[in-house]
Amino acid sequence: MALHFVGFRGDEYGRAVRVFGVPDFIHIGWDRWARQEVVAGDVAIFATGTAEGEPSTYSFPDIREA
């Protein structure tokens, strides 16, 4: 079982970590790649929306550098 955080951008990330723990995977947005990585038995926590939402037609980058 893996914990995925999807779409977290700011302070809500820290609150989610306090509630759910440190995620195994962080997805910048809900795209077809993120949907493929969330498999049966995994837990996906969304900043907004749900796993039933249609994934973006555009891919999000795997990493965002500051």
Side-chain angles (χ1 to χ4, degrees), residues 10-42:
D11 294 338
E12 70 273 9
Y13 174 84
R15 290 189 296 270
V17 167
R18 285 194 298 272
V19 173
F20 300 103
V22 177
D24 299 301
F25 299 96
I26 298 172
H27 306 284
I28 293 174
W30 188 235
D31 59 10
R32 63 188 180 112
W33 301 108
R35 183 171 68 177
Q36 270 185 304
E37 291 182 9
V38 177
V39 298
D42 285 358

Side-chain angles (χ1 to χ4, degrees), residues 24-65:
D24 299 301
F25 299 96
I26 298 172
H27 306 284
I28 293 174
W30 188 235
D31 59 10
R32 63 188 180 112
W33 301 108
R35 183 171 68 177
Q36 270 185 304
E37 291 182 9
V38 177
V39 298
D42 285 358
V43 175
I45 307 299
F46 288 77
T48 60
T50 67
E52 286 78 36
E54 189 65 30
S56 173
T57 55
Y58 300 100
S59 293
F60 289 92
D62 290 335
I63 189 168
R64 183 169 287 164
E65 296 179 17

